[in-house]
Amino acid sequence: MPASLLSALDGTLFIDGEFRPGAGPRLPVINPATGERIGTIAAATGDEIAAAVAAARRAFRPWARQVPRRRAEALHRLGDLIAADAGAMARIMTLEQGKPLNEARGEILKLAEACHFYAEEATRVHGETVPNDQPGFRSLIVREPVGVVGAITPWNYPAELVGWKLCASLAAGCTIIVKPAELTPFTALAIAAKVAEAGIPPGVVNVVTGKGSVVGQALVAHPGVDKIAFTGSSAVGLHIQNTCPTIKRLSLELGGNCPLIVTASADLAAAVKGAARRSFRNMGQICIAINRIYVARPLYDAFVAALGQAADRLVVGNGLERPDADVGAMASAEPLEKTRAHLADALAKGARLVAGGQAPEGAEFARGFFFRPTVVADCTPDMQVMREETFGPLVGVAPFDTLEEAIAAANDTPYGLAAYGYARDLTEIERLSAGLDYGNVALNNVDAGIMNAPYGGRKQSGVGYEHGREGLLEYFNFKHVRLHHGVEA
Ligand code: NAD
């Protein structure tokens, strides 16, 4: 049961195939639905970080030399073990992150799917041969694993965002050191327990906990780490890029400020349903959450009214006690404060409150970080909700007159992660799909990321990809082998 699993993981680091008690100071981990302390993590010390890097380096060559089928088998075992224990792992996630239990379980099962997807991809990595201008030569393009990966992850998807990096690393033949977010470390440690159970060799996967500015930064600085795979805010991503002391491979999956455009030809009911889902799921704490919505003027009033009703219908609950709640607590005080600040800014600048705007009432919400899904209408471009990532359950809506104007407004941002559109007119669909300057564009649906297709941002939303074959290629170096075989005929 999670209580005993949690206490077994309390204060531990996973290094070289073993859980060991951390020597550094302890940091509390809080249940955001109740404010209660659920355990502590150890701030990894310099020696412990060095031990994790040394273990990953030792394990790298033997792991990379395994035939891909062996690595695939290990990933399949890991996926099976994770799926078999999804209930207990989900409870850990809900306890530390706040999302409803059913949703947490869904995330754990998607992590298991990622294991199986990358297990299959592992056996399909192939190179190329390239024609030469001179006879007697052949060029081979070979893919070789990058080496030791430092994975630094945020708290909003504590299993999947670790999993994509871990699965792709293992499939490619890399080894990995995971530094999970301070708020949600136990999900990562629970994944490490499954790694051990799956018989994955010591050192191939390591987990070190602690503050990002210390432990994360130590991985960025360490000469034994060949690549940093980071998911988090644009500010920290930029900081990592600026402070990396040596040349390293970097993949940076960063923040967004994602627009939805609803054109005059859209299916209104479908657009409202999509908007409610992608604005508020996980309390809006999704990098690809819809932050701002532009609606063609003829549909505007009806859309705003229906989205307000959809937001009001969402059930907020303590994720453990209400496993089927639509949304749970926010993960900490910080995103809640930012949501309140963006709301206050919008209202002060003339926005109209359509739904939410406050914490839900009731004793059960008194000590957690709860807020009602909130819709503000008649928004203008100067409002923070229309310009910055809120990362909370708040969405702004504004009308538009021409599609050019809407696409220009959607693109008028330093971010380029995901954009959404609802339209039935084929020319509008084509103009949206070609005109939106984003790494992911979802039209007439709001699920911009699927496991089989590359997922990545543009501009300040990052570099590199996760998911799909492209996500796996991030973990390889290409080697050009130019062979003179001398056969000229
Ligand atoms: P964050 O940037 O504050 O922290 C992310 C991770 O970086 C944490 O593990 C943290 O400890 C670590 N970190 C902090 N300072 C560091 C430093 N100086 N050096 C190395 N590591 C450091 O982000 P967060 O608040 O945990 O997560 C929310 C952000 O993540 C949002 O901006 C969201 O959009 C983004 N995000 C992006 C994606 C994507 O795929 N593009 C997915 C999920 C979340």
Side-chain angles (χ1 to χ4, degrees), residues 13-20 202:
L13 308 173
F14 185 68
I15 297 175
D16 210 9
E18 285 180 350
F19 284 97
R20 54 170 84 169

Side-chain angles (χ1 to χ4, degrees), residues 152-157 161 164 179-182 210-217 220 230-234 236-237 239-240 253-256 286-288 334 389 391 417 455 461 466:
I152 303 175
T153 55
W155 44 261
N156 59 334
Y157 283 86
L161 293 172
W164 299 342
K179 205 304 281 174
E182 297 89 312
K211 283 197 186 306
S213 55
V214 181
V215 181
Q217 195 72 46
V220 172
F230 173 78
T231 301
S233 59
S234 294
V236 173
H239 177 80
I240 287 174
E253 301 287 343
L254 309 177
I286 311 188
C287 51
I288 55 170
E334 207 182 313
E389 182 181 53
F391 225 59
L417 190 53
Y455 169 80
S461 292
E466 295 195 298

